[in-house]
Amino acid sequence: MPDIEFFNITKKFGELTANDDISFKILSDTVHCIVGENGAGKSTLMKILFGVYHPDKGYFCIGNDKKVFSSTYDAISNGIGMLFQHYMLIDDFTVLENVILGREPEKKFSLDYRKSENILRELIDKYNLNLSLDKKISDLSISEQQKVEILKILYRNSDIIIFDEPTAVLSPLEVREFFNIVLKFKEDNKTIILITHKLNEVKEIADRVSVLRRGKLVYECTKEELDIEKLSINIIGEIGEKDIVTRKEDVSEKKTLINFKNVGYISGNRKILDNLNLELKTYEIFGICGVEGNGQSEIVRLMMGMIKPSEGNMYKIIGEISLVPDDRIKKGMIENFNIGENILLKSPLHYISKKNIRNISKNIISKYDVRVPDFNVPMSALSGGNQQKVIVAREIELDNKAIIFYHPTRGVDIKATGFINSKIIEMRNSGRAILLISSDIDELLGLSDRLAVLYRGTVSKVFEKNEIDFKDDISRNVLLEKLGKLMIGINQE
Amino acid sequence: MYNSIFAGFVAAVFINLLLSILFSVFTVKLKINQIVTGVGFNLLIAGLAKFLLILIFHSSSNTPRFENFPSFPLFKNIPGVGELLSDYIILFSFALVFLSQYVLFRTTFGLRLRSAGENPEAAESLGVKVRNYKFYGVLISGFLTSLAGIWLASNQNGFSDGMVAGRGYIALAAMIIGKWKPYNIFFACLMFAFFEAFEITIQISGFGIPSQLIQMLPYLITILVLVGFIGKTKPPASDGIPY
Ligand SMILES: Nc1ncnc2c1ncn2[C@@H]1O[C@H](COP(=O)(O)OP(=O)(O)OP(=O)(O)O)[C@@H](O)[C@H]1O
Ligand SMILES: [Mg+2]
């Protein structure tokens, strides 16, 4: 496979320079990680390589050929595949239809479903993708949808595969599985470009790393030179002060705001929640860990009053609950509205003037360090992590008694993750009741006062604070192993 | 010349295709809202038909009588359905049920056509030329509606003003009740046809039920069926959204 080399790539959006004179090389048959803060320009650069955007200046070479693609289709035809931060799937189509669309095997007068099936089966087996071809996308979990996107790329014989934050939505076990797929790609002489915010993942999988900051390439290193401390300094551009808010001592008069008693929830003929018990209390962060699809979203929907339990009872003694939803695009915002409008959506009725939209936006932008080209742009022009910050900010500022964080730091960079985590602790200290659902085990261990493992719609175990406080790496690993097993249903007690 | 039904056939198809092209220029190329454009066309053409009627035939209500198509002889003598099955357009419309099912769900063209209605961004990213498929879609539906109009006029041996009588909306209702699936739509259409025949029978028998009440029937049925039996019907995700 040929190398890819960028030469002086520059891309502006209005006043903002998203990519500023970037030149570097990606070696063939390697895993190349690209890291950087939210809004650093990572996705933009990759979209240029994939033909979504045109650079204002500069070009890139694949091997010796100078290239600039005019469309994604052009890029695909040249052997490039990209997994976007936000998936491009047709919900009402089956896995098979989604994958073959645009490149369908045909026999005389019709689509050759049999042949498509055989080709895809082979790919699924080869890369252990574990997908069933005739399921509809709307019935798949996020990690399965991701596999469909991967299958789409494989089906088009791409040799260069770009992954934009693929692990943000995966649980630790699924990350393992994903990395195995990536390593297999490497074995097959494919070049992999991977964007992530998780530096331990970089350490694990990268052959080379490039760091972007505010549109510029600021640092590069190889696997051998890689040092997480140094990398994170280069990402942030300063030595990060660890301003983690300290957790106040437990208070004794906690009050239960939401109480699930033997709750069951049936949808169609599937039992999604089964005999579930949990309590959400003031002055407490209640963490839930588990593989996605074990009932997390139903718990959230029950609490929000969107569905009712089929069995058992849910007692709730508060009205409004804030929610940071798992899918920011579909459930958290209106893409064509600007920041201020998206925030006002949830405030009490209110006279809306240009001035007060501006003030609200500016306030959130500075308080939560949202990086935007202009306060007035629609949400769709914000980078993924910055969109997330806006949603989190809105929900925190609502100042309700209870708040649900469903993947609060999904796609958010290290610094902002630290900031959001401290905010969560601050809210807990001031007596809010907090439900935290996350795929990031470290986040759960660091924040939770109690941590429940959710498996097949029921809480299989609850850890108290002292049980998840580890003293050293060894006890941490023991704990992680235990959690990992519980999450797939192995209970050793 | 006035009395050649075949010339009429060709003219109807030609004009419908022309209008379809115009419609897709507005909605696909210029991305004007489809409902607004549709309502505009609807009003314009109803008026235009009447205008031309006066201009050409000097009547504000109907054309002179003309002969129907020759009939298809093969099934003519089957008792009960013989008359039905000797009509070319009706025969074709039966075939169309299977043909559209096949084209939509078994061919590459159908897959791409549906993808354009479900998620045009995703389709385009895979090299599907979404605009072209939207154009083909409008063109096909224009051709099919021309057949519907031709049948209506030829069956009555003449065109009269307002003879369509809201059947286009009934067709939309059938599509919704049929959940955008040809076989289901076929049965929905049969159901509407049954109630229309029922309406006529009752009117003729003169039970003294106000005819307006009976004319409401198909619409009432649509609402009842939708609420009572079919449950949630989901249109293609990007239905009606300009791309
Ligand atoms: N279509 C657009 N219009 C205007 N500005 C845009 C557009 N796309 C991106 N930007 C801006 O360009 C900058 C870089 O965005 P980009 O999506 O490349 O960031 P990123 O490094 O991928 O960040 P994240 O880690 O949050 O995904 C951001 O400030 C963003 O707001
Ligand atoms: Mg990004």
Side-chain angles (χ1 to χ4, degrees):
Chain A
M1 282 305 106
D3 300 336
I4 307 163
E5 190 162 7
F6 296 94
F7 293 94
N8 312 97
I9 298 273
T10 300
K11 175 76 191 171
K12 292 189 175 170
F13 294 109
E15 295 287 287
L16 181 119
T17 310
N19 285 165
D20 192 355
D21 200 29
I22 297 179
S23 305
F24 71 106
K25 197 166 180 175
I26 292 172
L27 299 176
S28 70
D29 313 340
T30 59
V31 177
H32 194 117
C33 283
I34 298 183
V35 295
E37 287 182 299
N38 294 131
K42 306 178 296 294
S43 298
T44 303
L45 183 67
M46 288 305 111
K47 283 180 182 166
I48 288 174
L49 177 58
F50 195 56
V52 179
Y53 294 144
H54 259 276
D56 298 324
K57 231 184 73 203
Y59 60 95
F60 52 86
C61 289
I62 298 179
N64 293 322
D65 307 333
K66 190 171 157 179
K67 291 253 158 70
V68 163
F69 298 132
S70 56
S71 70
T72 57
Y73 186 61
D74 204 9
I76 292 173
S77 318
N78 277 276
I80 302 185
M82 176 158 176
L83 185 113
F84 286 93
Q85 218 163 341
H86 309 119
Y87 301 155
M88 297 263 240
L89 295 169
I90 299 176
D91 283 349
D92 206 45
F93 276 21
T94 62
V95 172
L96 182 128
E97 290 173 326
N98 264 286
V99 175
I100 62 173
L101 180 65
R103 244 198 209 204
E104 307 84 351
E106 288 184 293
K107 59 184 178 204
K108 247 192 195 124
F109 292 112
S110 61
L111 224 161
D112 197 339
Y113 278 99
R114 170 93 38 89
K115 188 169 165 206
S116 320
E117 229 177 280
N118 290 339
I119 300 174
L120 298 186
R121 280 264 153 70
E122 203 167 292
L123 286 172
I124 288 176
D125 288 345
K126 182 169 174 198
Y127 294 103
N128 288 324
L129 290 176
N130 198 9
L131 270 175
S132 60
L133 289 170
D134 45 12
K135 269 201 183 163
K136 277 195 182 171
I137 300 299
S138 47
D139 296 330
L140 300 184
S141 70
I142 295 222
S143 76
E144 287 171 312
Q145 291 183 12
Q146 179 175 72
K147 287 180 189 162
V148 179
E149 287 283 12
I150 294 176
L151 190 59
K152 259 163 80 175
I153 295 169
L154 290 172
Y155 177 68
R156 284 165 180 76
N157 290 320
S158 307
D159 297 316
I160 298 165
I161 307 182
I162 308 164
F163 290 107
D164 196 349
E165 296 189 31
T167 55
V169 296
L170 302 182
S171 66
L173 280 168
E174 291 165 329
V175 173
R176 273 270 72 67
E177 209 181 329
F178 173 75
F179 279 167
N180 286 335
I181 296 171
V182 168
L183 290 175
K184 203 135 191 186
F185 287 165
K186 198 168 110 174
E187 261 171 48
D188 285 352
N189 298 327
K190 294 185 190 294
T191 304
I192 294 104
I193 308 172
L194 194 141
I195 300 178
T196 177
H197 289 293
K198 297 178 185 160
L199 300 186
N200 48 354
E201 292 178 2
V202 176
K203 177 95 190 154
E204 181 175 340
I205 196 115
D207 294 309
R208 292 176 67 87
V209 189
S210 303
V211 181
L212 298 187
R213 190 189 331 133
R214 298 189 179 236
K216 290 197 174 68
L217 180 81
V218 292
Y219 179 73
E220 282 199 282
C221 69
T222 62
K223 190 185 184 74
E224 292 73 31
E225 300 157 355
L226 196 152
D227 171 66
I228 289 193
E229 199 65 29
K230 199 164 167 193
L231 201 57
S232 64
I233 291 171
N234 273 293
I235 290 171
I236 303 171
E238 63 199 51
I239 297 174
E241 49 333 330
K242 293 224 164 82
D243 57 348
I244 291 291
V245 176
T246 45
R247 181 187 296 270
K248 280 208 199 116
E249 276 310 299
D250 252 6
V251 277
S252 47
E253 71 284 11
K254 292 180 180 177
K255 200 167 129 200
T256 301
L257 296 185
I258 302 180
N259 197 349
F260 282 63
K261 281 237 185 293
N262 308 324
V263 166
Y265 179 71
I266 298 166
S267 162
N269 43 23
R270 258 187 66 220
K271 195 152 196 180
I272 297 176
L273 295 180
D274 189 11
N275 208 7
L276 179 91
N277 291 292
L278 66 82
E279 275 177 84
L280 202 61
K281 296 180 189 163
T282 57
Y283 294 98
E284 211 175 75
I285 300 173
F286 188 82
I288 292 184
C289 79
V291 176
E292 194 71 15
N294 275 287
Q296 288 91 335
S297 73
E298 284 73 18
I299 293 178
V300 172
R301 283 160 65 204
L302 278 167
M303 284 186 179
M304 298 303 291
M306 293 192 259
I307 52 175
K308 299 226 145 34
S310 321
E311 297 162 356
N313 288 303
M314 180 187 74
Y315 303 96
K316 194 169 129 181
I317 55 163
I318 39 160
E320 293 291 302
I321 304 174
S322 298
L323 168 67
V324 175
D326 54 334
D327 185 338
R328 57 177 167 250
I329 305 260
K330 284 195 189 140
K331 301 179 198 160
M333 67 196 203
I334 297 187
E335 279 188 282
N336 297 333
F337 284 10
N338 65 29
I339 299 176
E341 289 166 334
N342 269 290
I343 288 165
L344 281 174
L345 275 180
K346 275 218 167 172
S347 350
L349 280 184
H350 208 291
Y351 172 67
I352 298 180
S353 67
K354 280 231 167 74
K355 187 162 144 250
N356 89 42
I357 286 193
R358 179 204 303 264
N359 290 341
I360 288 172
S361 314
K362 293 223 155 131
N363 176 29
I364 294 287
I365 289 170
S366 66
K367 199 162 159 192
Y368 289 81
D369 190 24
V370 183
R371 306 276 170 85
V372 289
D374 180 90
F375 79 92
N376 215 359
V377 298
M379 282 290 268
S380 56
L382 266 58
S383 79
N386 283 305
Q387 292 172 344
Q388 184 71 17
K389 288 192 223 166
V390 173
I391 308 288
V392 169
R394 177 182 70 199
E395 299 302 320
I396 290 180
E397 295 292 314
L398 279 175
D399 209 22
N400 284 325
K401 264 272 169 226
I403 177 162
I404 300 170
F405 288 101
Y406 197 173
H407 299 307
T409 54
R410 175 173 276 182
V412 172
D413 65 35
I414 340 169
K415 196 172 163 197
T417 297
F419 179 76
I420 291 174
N421 286 348
S422 343
K423 274 281 176 196
I424 295 177
I425 293 179
E426 238 175 72
M427 293 178 75
R428 170 227 180 244
N429 288 347
S430 69
R432 304 284 176 272
I434 294 163
L435 180 72
L436 173 68
I437 305 176
S438 175
S439 54
D440 186 335
I441 288 282
D442 291 313
E443 180 167 80
L444 283 167
L445 293 178
L447 296 180
S448 306
D449 290 294
R450 285 182 300 142
L451 178 62
V453 181
L454 189 67
Y455 179 69
R456 299 226 169 128
T458 195
V459 169
S460 58
K461 178 155 176 65
V462 181
F463 293 87
E464 296 298 324
K465 182 80 198 148
N466 57 8
E467 295 174 277
I468 52 174
D469 266 339
F470 45 84
K471 275 121 218 117
D472 48 46
D473 270 1
I474 298 170
S475 57
R476 176 174 183 273
N477 287 339
V478 171
L479 184 61
L480 285 188
E481 177 144 342
K482 197 164 165 190
L483 280 169
K485 283 189 172 149
L486 280 166
M487 281 163 68
I488 52 171
I490 303 171
N491 199 340
Q492 282 162 329
E493 282 158 21
Chain B
M1 168 66 186
Y2 279 171
N3 269 320
S4 166
I5 182 123
F6 292 103
F9 180 92
V10 173
V13 171
F14 178 75
I15 289 172
N16 259 288
L17 290 182
L18 218 61
L19 288 171
S20 307
I21 293 173
L22 202 63
F23 186 82
S24 47
V25 168
F26 285 148
T27 57
V28 181
K29 196 164 170 54
L30 302 175
K31 301 184 189 180
I32 298 169
N33 183 297
Q34 295 172 16
I35 293 179
V36 174
T37 317
V39 170
F41 267 61
N42 201 320
L43 294 174
L44 172 79
I45 285 154
L48 193 68
K50 191 163 179 154
F51 178 69
L52 292 175
L53 207 55
I54 298 173
L55 204 68
I56 302 172
F57 298 106
H58 312 292
S59 155
S60 64
S61 61
N62 54 273
T63 61
R65 193 187 147 80
F66 53 74
E67 279 309 304
N68 199 345
F69 291 101
S71 58
F72 180 72
L74 197 60
F75 307 121
K76 205 171 193 153
N77 295 323
I78 304 177
V81 292
E83 194 189 343
L84 205 64
L85 297 182
S86 49
D87 187 317
Y88 284 102
I89 294 182
I90 290 183
L91 285 173
F92 179 66
S93 71
F94 280 120
L96 207 55
V97 177
F98 300 101
L99 193 66
S100 38
Q101 174 77 19
Y102 180 82
V103 170
L104 280 174
F105 297 100
R106 291 276 127 195
T107 66
T108 307
F109 176 82
L111 186 74
R112 294 181 180 188
L113 190 68
R114 288 188 290 129
S115 75
E118 291 282 356
N119 187 345
E121 285 86 7
E124 193 83 39
S125 77
L126 298 174
V128 175
K129 301 260 174 289
V130 171
R131 301 258 185 90
N132 293 359
Y133 281 90
K134 292 211 157 200
F135 176 64
Y136 303 147
V138 175
L139 223 57
I140 293 171
S141 81
F143 171 68
L144 296 178
T145 21
S146 76
L147 290 188
I150 292 166
W151 184 83
L152 211 57
S154 66
N155 185 262
Q156 303 291 312
N157 299 94
F159 172 83
S160 58
D161 185 42
M163 78 185 308
V164 177
R167 285 192 184 81
Y169 296 107
I170 294 290
L172 278 178
M175 181 179 76
I176 294 169
I177 289 184
K179 299 188 173 183
W180 285 263
K181 300 267 188 332
Y183 294 155
N184 298 344
I185 293 172
F186 173 67
F187 287 109
C189 288
L190 283 187
M191 183 189 75
F192 282 122
F194 171 79
F195 283 109
E196 198 174 320
F198 183 66
E199 177 192 323
I200 295 168
T201 319
I202 292 228
Q203 259 167 8
I204 292 172
S205 70
F207 274 140
I209 305 170
S211 67
Q212 287 85 346
L213 217 63
I214 298 169
Q215 277 162 10
M216 274 169 46
L217 219 56
Y219 303 96
L220 210 63
I221 298 296
T222 310
I223 294 171
L224 288 181
V225 167
L226 274 180
V227 175
F229 301 103
I230 306 289
K232 220 164 118 187
T233 84
K234 198 164 91 1
S238 290
D239 194 12
I241 302 167
Y243 176 74

